[in-house]
């Protein structure tokens, strides 16, 4: 399918109900309001065309941008393109999911995660923490910088409640990821989770909730899934 055909398909799949839900979460025009499940059905039409995926992201249309993140080949992403993507990720879903997941599977995962986490711009910092969290979920423990992860856990413990709104959310998610995917640091993550307790995030006019990190990790432990890695973090 061509770019124009994909955009026409997205428009047909959109609904006013889903569009309103997205807008409650922070999406801006242009977008059609396409369900994530329907976007996933279009991946097969884009996946083998890396340039088409890049063009979809550049459209600025949320639905097309999300589809691009599902379809693009992370190993073909240049650092410059990833920097361009994060600069255009104006709301949390694009930053936390689309860009972070692609960056986490790219050749520049750690380099960009470290850079972005320290950014003054909230959504770029959000993307940095989410990139690191996703990286943990797919990377063997022996390839991880355990000392750095410990330092980041301590940073979360010390600063999370004073951080910017959406950064608090992804810092909490980072603790979840460490406790879930890094077996060596499971106990340390649980301790941090207990210490930070409930994390308050303004989620706007939505029903979203911030998970309690301690409870989440316990549920993973109960299923005996601590340390089990994912094949891909793109979803």
């Amino acid at each position: 399918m061509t770019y124009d055909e994909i955009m026409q398909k997205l428009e047909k799949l959109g609904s006013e109900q889903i569009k309103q839900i997205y807008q409650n979460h922070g999406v801006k025009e242009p977008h059609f309001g396409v369900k994530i499940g329907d976007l996933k059905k279009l991946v097969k039409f884009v996946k083998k065309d890396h340039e088409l995926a890049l063009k979809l992201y550049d459209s600025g249309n949320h639905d097309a941008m999300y589809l691009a993140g599902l379809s693009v080949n992370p190993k073909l992403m240049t650092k410059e393109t990833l920097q361009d993507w994060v600069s255009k990720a104006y709301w949390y879903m694009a930053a936390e999911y689309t860009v972070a997941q692609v960056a986490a599977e790219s050749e520049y995962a750690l380099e960009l995660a470290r850079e972005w986490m320290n950014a003054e711009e909230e959504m770029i910092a959000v993307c940095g923490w989410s990139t690191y969290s996703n990286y943990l979920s797919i990377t063997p423990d022996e390839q991880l910088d355990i000392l750095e992860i410990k330092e980041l856990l301590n940073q979360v413990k010390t600063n999370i409640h004073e951080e910017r709104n959406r950064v608090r959310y992804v810092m909490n998610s980072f603790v979840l990821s460490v406790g879930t995917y890094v077996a060596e640091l499971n106990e340390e993550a649980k301790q941090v989770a207990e210490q930070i307790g409930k994390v308050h995030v303004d989620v706007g006019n939505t029903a979203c909730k911030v998970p309690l990190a301690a409870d989440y990790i316990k549920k993973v432990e109960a299923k005996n899934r601590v340390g089990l890695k994912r094949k891909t973090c793109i979803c």
Side-chain angles (χ1 to χ4, degrees):
M1 296 179 74
T2 66
Y3 171 82
D4 288 337
E5 288 172 336
I6 290 288
M7 295 302 289
Q8 290 168 12
K9 187 70 172 176
L10 289 173
E11 187 171 9
K12 290 179 181 178
L13 290 170
S15 76
E16 285 303 317
Q17 180 183 9
I18 300 300
K19 190 170 184 177
Q20 186 58 56
I21 291 172
Y22 282 155
Q23 288 176 180
N24 288 344
H25 282 262
V27 178
K28 300 175 185 176
E29 294 285 4
H31 70 110
F32 303 122
V34 183
K35 294 179 181 178
I36 302 300
D38 287 336
L39 290 175
K40 290 181 177 180
K41 295 175 184 176
L42 294 178
V43 169
K44 62 184 177 181
F45 298 110
V46 185
K47 198 170 183 66
K48 294 182 180 180
D49 191 338
H50 185 73
E51 293 305 315
L52 173 57
L54 295 180
K55 190 172 181 180
L56 288 170
Y57 191 89
D58 285 342
S59 71
N61 178 294
H62 159 69
D63 305 295
M65 293 169 77
Y66 200 98
L67 176 58
L70 294 174
S71 309
V72 80
N73 184 342
K75 301 303 181 186
L76 296 180
M77 294 292 278
T78 66
K79 191 192 306 183
E80 292 73 22
T81 299
L82 288 166
Q83 294 283 26
D84 179 60
W85 274 36
V86 78
S87 72
K88 295 173 180 174
Y90 67 86
W91 76 298
Y92 81 86
M93 196 167 169
E96 289 177 32
Y97 298 93
T98 300
V99 181
Q101 290 170 357
V102 172
E105 294 197 13
S106 76
E107 302 296 333
Y108 310 99
L110 278 182
E111 178 184 350
L112 291 177
R114 290 165 179 153
E115 176 187 330
W116 293 343
M117 290 161 85
N118 294 311
E120 292 184 8
E121 194 170 324
E122 181 178 1
M123 282 303 121
I124 294 180
V126 162
C127 190
W129 282 96
S130 188
T131 297
Y132 210 126
S133 295
N134 279 287
Y135 179 77
L136 296 179
S137 76
I138 59 173
T139 306
D141 284 1
E142 59 269 21
Q143 296 178 24
L144 299 175
D145 187 334
I146 298 299
L147 179 59
E148 179 177 65
I149 299 167
K150 285 184 176 182
E151 291 172 349
L152 291 171
L153 282 174
N154 189 60
Q155 183 178 336
V156 172
K157 179 177 66 176
T158 305
N159 299 332
I160 188 169
H161 296 296
E162 285 72 47
E163 261 292 356
R164 291 152 289 179
N165 186 60
R166 202 68 201 184
V167 178
R168 294 196 294 274
Y169 189 95
V170 288
M171 278 184 157
N172 187 66
S173 298
F174 179 81
V175 177
L176 301 183
S177 290
V178 176
T180 298
Y181 296 110
V182 188
E184 181 178 342
L185 295 178
N186 170 261
E187 287 298 325
E188 194 157 338
K190 286 195 296 183
Q191 291 173 15
V192 172
E194 291 289 352
Q195 288 175 295
I196 65 176
K198 185 173 179 59
V199 178
H200 297 279
V201 177
D202 181 359
V203 295
N205 184 29
T206 74
C208 294
K209 296 180 180 179
V210 183
L212 275 170
D215 289 352
Y216 186 98
I217 295 171
K218 287 176 183 176
K219 289 178 182 178
V220 174
E221 286 180 316
K223 296 177 181 178
N224 197 32
R225 296 187 61 82
V226 171
L228 295 181
K229 305 289 183 173
R230 296 190 288 174
K231 291 182 179 179
T232 179
C233 61
I234 294 176
C235 60

